[in-house]
Amino acid sequence: MRNYICIALLLVCAASVKAQDLSAFRLTYDMAIPTGQFNSDYINKTSWRGIGFDSRWEVKTNVTVGFNLGWQVFSQRFDDVTEVLGSGRTTVNGTQFRFVNTFPMQANVHYYFGEEYGVRPWAGLALGTAYSDQRTQVGFSEIQATSWSFALTPQVGIDVPLNSDDLSFTVNMRYNQFFQNTVSFDYSFLVFSAGFKFLYH
Amino acid sequence: MLKKLIQSSSLIALLLMGCYPIGPEFVEDYDATYTILNDVNFDFADPTRQTYHLADTVIVLTDPNTSPTDIQINQAAILARVRTNMNQLGYTEIPDIDDAIDDADYLILVSVNRSDNYFYTWWPGWVGWPGWPGWGWGGCCFFPPTVTSTNIRTGAILVDLIDARALKLRRNELPEVWIGLGEGLFRGSQQNINNRALESIDQMFRQSPYLKR
């Protein structure tokens, strides 16, 4: 965890901050679709509860480094589920309420296309960690698993300037892969984001 | 810039209502049935185990100091449902206790419980902002201390399968080999509570296919 923070700080400090259209922060609303084993084994319902914060600084022409923070809430109800627990001695049946709250914290690098102050498509990669809290509630019982995991997120997006010079509409799509060691499957999900980009001045 | 930040933050706060957006809506949503293999070395597949004796009384486990012990549950129906499930699995009942002492392979005990769980929350009261002139006792803004209590009343039904052969050996521990536990909110009409208890008994046996002869 400390290493990730150091890497993120180094990237930010190394940036020669320029007052151009790429040094900016973004606030986004995020929705997410579970994929892979996360989808097949635990939750397959789309999450409509997500938030993202992303700050980037231009370090050379068309290239930014920065960091991003997020929060995504997955939840789903399953009726009449029978599940064998732990060592196999205990079996439980009931209505299950499943939740996963994930909080990615990553350093990122992006490359931009298009003209300055114009429509800017971009692509990038974020690496870092994610804290996740998984809970399964049955009756009055709850099974909880928390983890810090390595988080890998390739992403693409586009910024569309609005009337104001320092405000853009931004949409992006990213694929989150959080490698788990406390539960039997990774958290993988596709995120669609929409929000605003505010330039640093 | 600050204004934009505040506007954006307010929007996001509205979008996110919490970490756990769903939960139980009906009384039945709290119902859960557990089965536990209490003795991992016990051989349920042993074909010589064919008989059982069902104790003719449902034991009430409720502590009389905390909850009423008159549970008003249909005990005859509960025993009948356990018997039906055991018979459907292929076992033969030995109703007479004297015969059962020698011949029964399993002894079955059924018990029920009602528990009143009280939770208290305490608000210490407030008499105004420290240092603010003119407020205090008798002033404009006295909020008295308050205690509120909530009772979460739960019920449980327990079916114990006891190895009757080991029982004869009179060891210190009860040779309990399988436990079925149904629990939920002790709420709803009497018929609703009885129906949920009976459904829970069926579920205990459904989720234990290894008991089948």
Side-chain angles (χ1 to χ4, degrees):
Chain A
M1 175 62 191
R2 187 181 296 169
N3 289 342
Y4 296 131
I5 294 171
C6 288
I7 291 167
L9 287 175
L10 279 173
L11 287 171
V12 170
C13 293
S16 58
V17 178
K18 301 174 184 176
Q20 294 180 358
D21 70 329
L22 299 184
S23 293
F25 72 88
R26 291 165 168 75
L27 287 171
T28 56
Y29 164 69
D30 300 347
M31 56 82 75
I33 301 170
T35 61
Q37 259 190 296
F38 182 37
N39 176 303
S40 60
D41 291 2
Y42 199 65
I43 286 177
N44 56 42
K45 192 176 174 188
T46 298
S47 162
W48 296 97
R49 290 173 185 249
I51 180 176
F53 175 80
D54 183 322
S55 188
R56 304 176 191 174
W57 291 270
E58 187 172 6
V59 288
K60 57 184 288 191
T61 305
N62 291 334
V63 176
T64 62
V65 295
F67 69 91
N68 58 273
L69 307 170
W71 179 20
Q72 196 74 44
V73 184
F74 296 90
S75 60
Q76 191 167 0
R77 171 191 174 118
F78 291 87
D79 290 315
D80 194 22
V81 177
T82 301
E83 188 168 340
V84 179
L85 304 179
S87 62
R89 287 179 57 190
T90 303
T91 303
V92 60
N93 171 276
T95 301
Q96 286 194 1
F97 295 90
R98 298 179 184 175
F99 305 93
V100 172
N101 279 262
T102 60
F103 303 89
M105 291 161 251
Q106 297 167 298
N108 60 45
V109 58
H110 292 92
Y111 183 81
Y112 296 79
F113 305 92
E115 297 297 319
E116 196 174 354
Y117 292 104
V119 174
R120 306 292 304 257
W122 47 264
L125 182 70
L127 292 172
T129 188
Y131 176 76
S132 302
D133 181 330
Q134 175 182 314
R135 293 176 192 225
T136 305
Q137 295 174 353
V138 187
F140 304 115
S141 304
E142 180 178 277
I143 303 164
Q144 184 185 17
T146 59
S147 61
W148 286 95
S149 56
F150 178 67
L152 172 72
T153 309
Q155 52 202 281
V156 292
I158 188 167
D159 299 337
V160 179
L162 298 176
N163 290 337
S164 162
D165 283 345
D166 57 358
L167 182 67
S168 297
F169 180 67
T170 182
V171 291
N172 73 70
M173 183 178 75
R174 54 187 190 271
Y175 178 73
N176 274 317
Q177 180 79 27
F178 300 164
F179 297 92
Q180 294 297 311
N181 51 21
T182 53
V183 293
S184 61
F185 49 87
D186 294 335
Y187 297 139
S188 58
F189 49 99
L190 203 55
V191 181
F192 295 92
S193 292
F196 294 99
K197 180 182 97 170
F198 304 91
L199 288 189
Y200 285 127
H201 282 302
Chain B
M1 180 66 74
L2 182 62
K3 193 177 172 187
K4 286 177 189 168
L5 264 175
I6 292 169
Q7 285 170 345
S8 301
S9 302
S10 304
L11 177 68
I12 288 157
L14 283 173
L15 290 172
L16 298 173
M17 299 296 284
C19 298
Y20 307 105
I22 58 170
E25 296 172 59
F26 307 102
V27 169
E28 290 81 0
D29 290 345
Y30 285 99
D31 291 352
T33 303
Y34 301 83
T35 47
I36 301 158
L37 292 171
N38 208 39
D39 181 352
V40 290
N41 298 316
F42 187 79
D43 182 15
F44 286 100
D46 180 355
T48 66
R49 293 182 179 272
Q50 297 282 348
T51 57
Y52 73 95
H53 175 76
L54 177 63
D56 63 0
T57 305
V58 174
I59 304 159
V60 176
L61 300 172
T62 303
D63 179 355
N65 295 317
T66 59
S67 299
T69 54
D70 180 15
I71 290 186
Q72 296 179 343
I73 206 159
N74 189 335
Q75 301 194 7
I78 283 174
L79 290 174
R81 189 60 69 95
V82 172
R83 180 178 291 114
T84 301
N85 275 281
M86 284 299 284
N87 292 346
Q88 283 176 347
L89 286 171
Y91 294 93
T92 304
E93 183 181 11
I94 301 178
D96 186 86
I97 184 69
D98 294 325
D99 295 339
I101 288 170
D102 291 326
D103 299 330
D105 298 314
Y106 292 112
L107 168 63
I108 300 176
L109 301 178
V110 181
S111 38
V112 291
N113 183 39
R114 167 181 157 173
S115 179
D116 290 74
N117 308 279
Y118 288 94
F119 298 91
Y120 296 95
T121 52
W122 178 61
W123 161 249
W126 187 52
V127 291
W129 205 265
W132 188 263
W135 286 22
W137 293 97
C140 75
C141 301
F142 169 61
F143 298 93
T146 316
V147 176
T148 55
S149 72
T150 308
N151 177 17
I152 298 189
R153 184 175 296 162
T154 60
I157 181 161
L158 198 64
V159 179
D160 286 312
L161 202 60
I162 292 162
D163 178 4
R165 295 179 189 173
L167 198 61
K168 291 175 202 159
L169 303 176
R170 296 177 183 276
R171 295 184 182 129
N172 287 331
E173 288 182 9
L174 192 67
E176 204 173 22
V177 292
W178 178 89
I179 300 166
L181 168 68
E183 66 169 16
L185 285 177
F186 199 89
R187 286 191 181 279
S189 66
Q190 208 58 51
Q191 179 156 6
N192 175 267
I193 291 172
N194 275 311
N195 288 343
R196 286 160 54 213
L198 297 177
E199 167 53 29
S200 188
I201 291 169
D202 289 343
Q203 180 57 38
M204 287 172 200
F205 289 98
R206 258 200 310 270
Q207 68 191 46
S208 306
Y210 44 80
L211 292 177
K212 190 168 176 59
R213 293 295 77 209

